[in-house]
Amino acid sequence: MNPSSPQPDLATILASSVHDMKNSLGLMGRLLAKHEAVWTGISAEAQSEYSHLLYEVNRMNANLISLLTLYKFGKGLYPFDPQPCQPAEICEEVAMQHRVLLSASKVVLHIDVPDDLVWHFDADLIAGVLGQALTNAINYTTDTVRIAAGVEHDELWLAVEDNGRGYPPQMLVDSRKAVSGVDFSSGSTGLGLYFAEHVAQLHRNRERIGSLRLENGGPLGGGRFVITLP
Amino acid sequence: MATNFASHHCLVVDDFQGMRYLMRDMLRECGAVHVEMASNGKEALQRLLERRYDIVLCDYNLGQGKNGQQLLEEAKLRQLIGPATTWIMITAEKSSDWIMGAVEYQPDSYLLKPITADLLLSRLEKIAVRKQAFADIAQAMSNKQYTRAIALCDERLAYDTVNASELQRLKGSLLLDAGEIDAAQKLYETVLANREIAWARTGLGRICFQQGEYEAARDHFQISREQAPGYLEAYDWLARTQQRLGDAEHAESTLSAALKLSPNSPLRQKSLGELALQRGDLDVADAAFRKSIAVGEHSILKTPEAYLGLAKVCSKSSRSDEALKVLKSVQHQFSDDDVALRAKSAEGMIYTQENQLSKAGAVANELKQMLQERATRPDSTASLEVAELMLATGQRDQAVSLLQDVVRNNHEDNLLIDKVQAVFDSANMKAEGSNLVEACRREAVELMNSGVLLARDGKLPEALAAMRGARDKLPANARVLFNFAFVAVMYLQKLGTDEALIEESRQALREANRVSPGEKRFSQLMDALNKLEQR
């Protein structure tokens, strides 16, 4: 490189590489989903590996999208403009994106969201957060997951619940009481949670602010991921 | 609920053959039968010219030439698609380019890749339901029947909770279009009582702006910007307001911030250039005008002002040759009589600055010829610029008649009249110019009132004839046009319906609305004409 040329910005290089990786993962995911039928006649072990493969691809894809979005937040380039949205529509679309993963993992999804509910939020960000939570729930549940929503105390809540063993105690979070203090060194869950918390807090209505909770229990008795939006 | 897409005509626009076939197959899975394809913007425009499509699936990236957003803008502006057409933009990631554009140029929906057939079908069905809900309102809006559109919004608001927010947004902007300021303000305040919403906040700001309360307006726009940084309309209004407050520096930084989010807007880049030029910041102006020209290359939203501005920057930086080249190219890019007048005037001014008086004189003569040959009157900006050159080259009479025409047609527009006076001032005709302006204003007021006074005396045929004469003399004066329609309505009410006169009045009103949008009289008189027609 010519020594006088300007130093490339590492963040920009990373962002454009992430973009490239995302595209290739997207293609992989599409190919995997396309050959869904091939995998139905195989051994239980291979089936479970197939669903695990789908899960990892889904997770990575979501992580890369989070990274790109966080990059845009950081640079002040994200076009944040909440619009009136129907949570029922968003949840339905998130479910469609997870159709193959759900069936490969033999997990049943219930959606329990009132059709006429309308709330102001950024649909793409919330769909991203719910998608990640759903991918996660499908991996940790026993056989059922549920997406639910409602309005309480003049706030919209959206929850992704499962009937697995629940979150380990050190992961339980309530962003209203304390910041989650996501520790990136500890492993896999950091980015998704960090992203979700960031998205929650981006949503404001005057002095009120969105929140994130990870708890156990709820109707299905397993883990419960809740985002609230004022 | 399920829509049958078998009768729908669909168009797929993508530069990759594989993607085109994939989209086509997905549309077929959704039940579509008639699917055509185009591989670039030019081909797509050809198809859109040939027939009305119900559904357009368009990739944002179309290789060379227009991108998907520019194609959508052109299709909308040239009315190749109407409110019934569903336009879905397909893209790899959420980009600010169209999400942040003006509402009227937004697609109905956008889909992030990868797309599946069931996702597409679900979107198409939802959009079909929404279009159905808004169909009659859209129809009334495109007929400029504001009162009717507002009534339809109210009707729907009574039971449709799902679309309530969108209905209120529409109703607010319709109230502003209809000049119902108080009602609009009340609506925005009601919406804001529940939640901070960018369009409502910006609406309040616009009302303050319109009433000259610039500081209050600025505060509203700033709140909107903080709460929803992606709502760019607030930035444009904020910059305009800061400019009115004499704060050009902040206006410039506001526009820069908006451009960081949407660098591909030729209009906003042009506005930044004009602000910077006004502040004497020639480097910024130069870069902004060039960027506007570059991003506008394939866009129907490209503006001649970017070229004219760049020419001015070049000439101020003593790069006359380049300025002249830019002025040639603007005439080449825009086949528009007013643009030709402005480019020629600018060329002539460069010659006068360089003391090449014979060349300047030749240009002035050429302009005189052009003015004689054209059938319509030049717009105000072109008139001012031509007049400036005429004065600089000693063609005083020509200049005075152009400037008189501007004042007569805009006798209440103080900002414009100040500009006219400034042209007189710079030609050392301060007192004389001021007298001329005053005389023209009086003349316009007399013409404006001529028919109305006769009408009050019950002399309706004479009144109509007088207003018609006034309209022919001042064809771009909104007051005169409104009064013409007003007298015509009185005439029609008393003396019976006459379809030709109704159409003539509508035309006058449409012109008045174009010159001076958002006036209460427009929708009132339009309603009165509609009633007369129904008799």
Side-chain angles (χ1 to χ4, degrees):
Chain A
M1 191 187 288
N2 184 334
S4 69
S5 69
Q7 196 64 31
D9 165 21
L10 183 64
T12 308
I13 297 179
L14 283 175
S16 76
S17 313
V18 167
H19 194 81
D20 187 40
M21 288 189 268
K22 183 182 76 90
N23 287 345
S24 95
L25 263 179
L27 182 69
M28 266 174 70
R30 201 156 62 230
L31 292 175
L32 275 171
K34 189 175 157 194
H35 297 296
E36 184 187 3
V38 178
W39 297 86
T40 48
I42 55 174
S43 71
E45 192 193 353
Q47 272 190 40
S48 133
E49 280 172 6
Y50 172 64
S51 71
H52 195 90
L53 194 59
L54 277 174
Y55 161 72
E56 292 294 348
V57 167
N58 243 322
R59 202 170 68 82
M60 280 299 109
N61 204 23
N63 271 345
L64 294 179
I65 293 173
S66 304
L67 274 178
L68 279 176
T69 311
L70 286 169
Y71 169 78
K72 284 188 187 165
F73 288 157
K75 290 250 165 186
L77 288 174
Y78 187 84
F80 184 71
D81 178 19
Q83 297 287 331
C85 305
Q86 280 171 271
E89 286 187 0
I90 313 272
C91 295
E92 192 191 324
E93 290 195 356
V94 168
M96 279 178 200
Q97 285 156 356
H98 286 74
R99 189 184 56 80
V100 180
L101 178 61
L102 280 161
S103 80
S105 315
K106 301 192 171 62
V107 170
V108 179
L109 167 68
H110 297 292
I111 298 182
D112 201 356
V113 181
D115 276 335
D116 58 353
L117 195 56
V118 178
W119 205 259
H120 271 78
F121 54 86
D122 183 311
D124 296 291
L125 292 180
I126 296 304
V129 166
L130 287 179
Q132 289 197 22
L134 182 60
T135 304
N136 197 48
I138 293 170
N139 189 47
Y140 289 104
T141 191
T142 307
D143 57 13
T144 309
V145 289
R146 174 176 180 259
I147 305 180
V151 173
E152 216 170 281
H153 308 304
D154 207 19
E155 280 183 336
L156 174 74
W157 58 265
L158 292 149
V160 179
E161 300 158 349
D162 63 63
N163 64 348
R165 278 176 303 164
Y167 294 102
Q170 71 273 16
M171 274 195 68
L172 298 175
V173 163
D174 185 343
S175 71
R176 290 217 171 143
K177 301 206 172 95
V179 280
S180 62
V182 169
D183 179 8
F184 283 108
S185 61
S186 70
S188 62
T189 47
L191 181 63
L193 211 53
Y194 177 77
F195 179 68
E197 200 171 332
H198 202 92
V199 166
Q201 291 176 349
L202 212 52
H203 285 84
R204 284 157 197 256
N205 184 10
R206 306 238 158 84
E207 66 284 355
R208 290 180 303 137
I209 179 167
S211 78
L212 184 73
R213 292 200 310 271
L214 296 185
E215 49 193 42
N216 288 326
L220 293 187
R224 189 163 190 261
F225 172 103
V226 189
I227 185 166
T228 69
L229 307 171
Chain B
M1 162 117 178
T3 318
N4 181 5
F5 295 105
S7 63
H8 285 45
H9 285 268
C10 312
L11 179 63
V12 170
V13 192
D14 198 305
D15 54 336
F16 287 110
Q17 194 185 35
M19 280 305 284
R20 286 198 295 278
Y21 287 139
L22 188 73
M23 299 294 175
R24 183 197 58 189
D25 294 347
M26 278 189 202
L27 280 167
R28 286 182 178 162
E29 272 184 65
C30 296
V33 179
H34 313 286
V35 183
E36 285 173 70
M37 296 183 281
S39 62
N40 56 46
K42 209 171 152 190
E43 257 181 59
L45 277 177
Q46 197 51 46
R47 297 267 172 288
L48 289 165
L49 272 167
E50 283 160 10
R51 74 148 52 251
R52 210 74 167 166
Y53 283 92
D54 303 294
I55 295 171
V56 181
L57 287 192
C58 178
D59 197 271
Y60 177 68
N61 284 311
L62 296 176
Q64 294 204 324
K66 286 182 203 309
N67 63 31
Q69 179 59 24
Q70 291 171 330
L71 178 62
L72 169 61
E73 285 163 357
E74 183 150 354
K76 284 212 173 180
L77 270 169
R78 291 172 63 184
Q79 299 188 329
L80 304 179
I81 58 170
T85 307
T86 293
W87 189 294
I88 296 185
M89 201 75 87
I90 291 160
T91 166
E93 64 169 319
K94 184 168 179 174
S95 150
S96 43
D97 253 5
W98 62 89
I99 295 159
M100 316 192 69
V103 172
E104 60 263 37
Y105 301 128
Q106 277 169 13
D108 294 292
S109 185
Y110 56 94
L111 279 172
L112 302 183
K113 292 178 192 171
I115 297 148
T116 59
D118 45 0
L119 197 62
L120 178 62
L121 180 60
S122 145
R123 282 286 171 97
L124 284 174
E125 284 183 338
K126 278 170 207 149
I127 295 169
V129 171
R130 200 171 64 214
K131 294 245 176 219
Q132 190 58 41
F134 286 90
D136 46 358
I137 300 174
Q139 185 62 47
M141 279 171 70
S142 74
N143 293 343
K144 296 210 185 294
Q145 293 173 303
Y146 299 138
T147 318
R148 180 173 156 72
I150 291 165
L152 288 168
C153 284
D154 279 333
E155 221 171 83
R156 215 180 163 85
L157 271 166
Y159 62 90
D160 188 345
T161 50
V162 166
N163 290 309
S165 180
E166 179 60 12
L167 285 164
Q168 279 172 319
R169 190 189 65 75
L170 264 182
K171 186 183 165 189
S173 81
L174 282 164
L175 287 169
L176 287 183
D177 286 338
E180 302 281 353
I181 305 297
D182 293 345
Q185 181 171 348
K186 218 168 132 195
L187 180 140
Y188 291 139
E189 280 166 355
T190 313
V191 169
L192 288 169
N194 291 325
R195 159 181 291 277
E196 192 55 53
I197 290 177
W199 55 259
R201 182 60 68 187
T202 302
L204 276 189
R206 284 179 59 183
I207 290 172
C208 292
F209 183 93
Q210 210 175 321
Q211 294 170 339
E213 295 161 13
Y214 298 124
E215 268 140 23
R218 179 191 57 198
D219 295 346
H220 283 306
F221 297 136
Q222 258 158 0
I223 293 173
S224 170
R225 182 181 161 183
E226 277 156 28
Q227 290 277 330
Y231 186 72
L232 286 195
E233 218 177 305
Y235 292 63
D236 295 330
W237 280 103
L238 178 58
R240 224 167 285 159
T241 310
Q242 286 164 329
Q243 217 178 340
R244 288 288 170 93
L245 286 166
D247 187 0
E249 198 181 329
H250 278 109
E252 199 179 308
S253 64
T254 301
L255 281 183
S256 298
L259 282 164
K260 201 176 149 200
L261 287 160
S262 72
N264 292 333
S265 158
L267 289 175
R268 203 169 281 128
Q269 292 284 3
K270 184 256 324 178
S271 304
L272 176 65
E274 286 175 342
L275 255 175
L277 177 60
Q278 196 190 322
R279 282 194 345 112
D281 195 342
L282 294 183
D283 290 342
V284 171
D286 188 271
F289 286 133
R290 281 180 205 278
K291 178 91 182 170
S292 174
I293 292 170
V295 297
E297 187 187 352
H298 299 292
S299 169
I300 195 167
L301 299 176
K302 67 178 177 182
T303 69
E305 280 80 10
Y307 293 79
L308 295 165
L310 179 60
K312 216 170 259 171
V313 172
C314 290
S315 112
K316 283 200 177 196
S317 328
S318 313
R319 286 178 279 147
S320 304
D321 289 349
E322 200 183 350
L324 293 173
K325 224 181 270 170
V326 174
L327 290 172
K328 280 241 154 53
S329 113
V330 71
Q331 294 177 75
H332 187 72
Q333 293 280 335
F334 300 84
S335 53
D336 178 297
D337 289 347
D338 287 334
V339 172
L341 289 178
R342 297 181 63 188
K344 278 278 155 203
S345 309
E347 185 187 337
M349 288 309 280
I350 291 173
Y351 295 139
T352 56
Q353 276 155 26
E354 296 191 331
N355 252 337
Q356 304 195 45
L357 297 182
S358 66
K359 269 190 173 174
V363 172
N365 285 330
E366 215 179 312
L367 278 168
K368 228 157 118 182
Q369 187 74 24
M370 285 161 77
L371 283 172
Q372 269 162 18
E373 280 165 10
R374 57 184 279 165
T376 52
R377 51 181 296 279
D379 72 16
S380 304
T381 318
S383 301
L384 282 172
E385 290 173 11
V386 175
E388 220 174 340
L389 180 70
M390 293 296 175
L391 287 174
T393 51
Q395 310 244 28
R396 192 180 160 281
D397 292 351
Q398 188 78 35
V400 167
S401 107
L402 279 165
L403 293 172
Q404 279 176 319
D405 193 52
V406 171
V407 176
R408 281 192 205 108
N409 275 293
N410 303 278
H411 71 281
E412 287 179 347
D413 184 343
N414 292 330
L415 281 176
L416 188 60
I417 287 175
D418 287 347
K419 284 186 192 162
V420 171
Q421 186 63 49
V423 173
F424 279 125
D425 293 356
S426 62
N428 289 325
M429 294 172 62
K430 196 176 177 94
E432 195 183 353
S434 157
N435 287 338
L436 280 166
V437 165
E438 219 19 71
C440 290
R441 266 188 164 156
R442 261 201 314 275
E443 195 185 332
V445 171
E446 273 160 28
L447 277 168
M448 177 182 94
N449 292 332
S450 59
V452 179
L453 296 175
L454 284 165
R456 279 200 190 127
D457 294 340
K459 297 177 182 160
L460 287 170
E462 293 85 349
L464 188 64
M467 281 321 299
R468 209 178 248 137
R471 181 205 60 190
D472 293 343
K473 269 192 191 144
L474 307 182
N477 186 312
R479 291 285 138 262
V480 168
L481 292 166
F482 278 129
N483 281 2
F484 167 72
F486 173 71
V487 169
V489 165
M490 281 177 82
Y491 179 97
L492 290 160
Q493 282 168 344
K494 283 265 161 62
L495 304 175
T497 301
D498 168 356
E499 255 180 59
L501 183 56
I502 290 183
E503 193 40 47
E504 192 185 355
S505 309
R506 280 216 181 100
Q507 222 162 354
L509 285 175
R510 277 193 288 264
E511 177 63 9
N513 188 51
R514 194 186 62 78
V515 178
S516 174
E519 299 222 19
K520 216 172 188 164
R521 292 181 84 191
F522 173 73
S523 50
Q524 285 172 341
L525 289 166
M526 279 299 241
D527 289 347
L529 287 170
N530 289 338
K531 263 193 207 124
L532 282 162
E533 200 173 41
Q534 281 155 16
R535 269 196 198 171

